């Protein structure tokens, strides 16, 4: 009788552990799916492609991000990277991507979006370095603003053209003190 009780208790514990693991795995899959960038839209007059390979066997997301979305007067593409790995980097990735997306859509301005991200990252509980490059695609050309991230290399029938980075990475450099 004691042996049967022990086996029953252990079987119950194993079932409870399996249920907890399954629930946690489902939560992780749901959260990762919500953090993955959407597929790139078709943009008339431009070609865009991406390949996203997060590190780790069980990870679909991490510290890298990209997106292409409509803004007033054209489109904006972003590519960036958060310092670190795992769930912490993924959380800051979501914050960075959504901050840049929202501010850029509201203002249509890459500089304002990067400044807001810089303020947001420096206002958080931890300092997370972030590198980002934003590309505005308009009818009259592409304009790149890179903040610590290697800028994209524009390709045309005439060939590739390197672009210089223009700003320090968001969250990495303190804002200068106002002088009276």
């Amino acid at each position: 009788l004691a042996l049967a009780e022990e086996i029953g208790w252990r079987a119950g514990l194993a079932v409870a552990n399996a249920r907890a693991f399954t629930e946690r795995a489902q939560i992780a899959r749901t959260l990762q799916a919500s953090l993955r960038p959407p597929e790139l839209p078709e943009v008339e007059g431009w070609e865009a492609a991406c390949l996203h390979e997060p590190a780790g066997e069980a990870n679909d997301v991490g510290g890298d991000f990209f997106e292409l979305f409509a803004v007033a007067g054209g489109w904006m593409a972003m590519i960036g990277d958060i310092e670190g790995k795992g769930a912490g980097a993924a959380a800051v990735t979501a914050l960075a991507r959504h901050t840049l997306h929202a501010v850029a859509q509201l203002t249509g301005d890459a500089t304002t979006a990067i400044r807001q991200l810089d303020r947001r990252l420096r206002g958080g509980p931890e300092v997370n370095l972030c590198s980002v490059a934003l590309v505005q695609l308009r009818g009259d050309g592409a304009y790149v603003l890179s903040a610590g991230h290697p800028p994209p290399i524009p390709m045309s029938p005439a060939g590739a053209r390197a672009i210089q980075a223009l700003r320090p990475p968001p969250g990495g450099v303190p804002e200068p003190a106002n002088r009276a």
Side-chain angles (χ1 to χ4, degrees):
L1 184 61
L3 178 61
E5 286 178 353
E6 182 68 20
I7 290 172
W9 180 81
R10 288 183 186 216
L13 184 60
V15 168
N17 284 339
R19 283 184 183 150
F21 177 80
T22 301
E23 185 176 329
R24 287 185 184 147
Q26 180 60 38
I27 290 169
R29 281 192 299 277
T30 301
L31 289 173
Q32 288 188 67
S34 73
L35 295 174
R36 274 194 299 273
E39 290 193 27
L40 297 179
E42 295 287 325
V43 179
E44 187 176 336
W46 298 91
E47 286 185 44
C50 63
L51 173 65
H52 188 239
E53 297 272 346
E57 293 179 24
N59 297 331
D60 285 342
V61 294
D64 300 319
F65 61 94
F66 62 90
E67 192 169 352
L68 176 60
F69 53 94
V71 294
W75 292 83
M76 189 170 293
M78 74 169 90
I79 184 169
D81 187 23
I82 302 295
E83 176 188 39
K85 296 179 182 177
V92 178
T93 295
L95 174 108
R97 197 176 112 226
H98 293 295
T99 298
L100 290 167
H101 185 125
V103 174
Q105 276 199 318
L106 288 171
T107 67
D109 182 55
T111 302
T112 302
I114 288 177
R115 282 187 183 138
Q116 185 58 37
L117 175 60
D118 183 50
R119 286 186 204 105
R120 181 63 184 95
L121 289 175
R122 284 188 284 110
E126 295 180 17
V127 174
N128 289 93
L129 293 180
C130 170
S131 63
V132 64
L134 297 178
V135 181
Q136 281 192 269
L137 305 173
R138 297 192 303 229
D140 59 346
Y143 302 88
V144 177
L145 179 57
S146 179
H149 196 281
I153 299 173
M155 303 290 290
S156 71
R161 182 173 47 101
I163 300 172
Q164 297 293 327
L166 303 175
R167 297 181 51 87
V173 180
E175 210 168 299
N178 292 336
R179 295 185 179 164

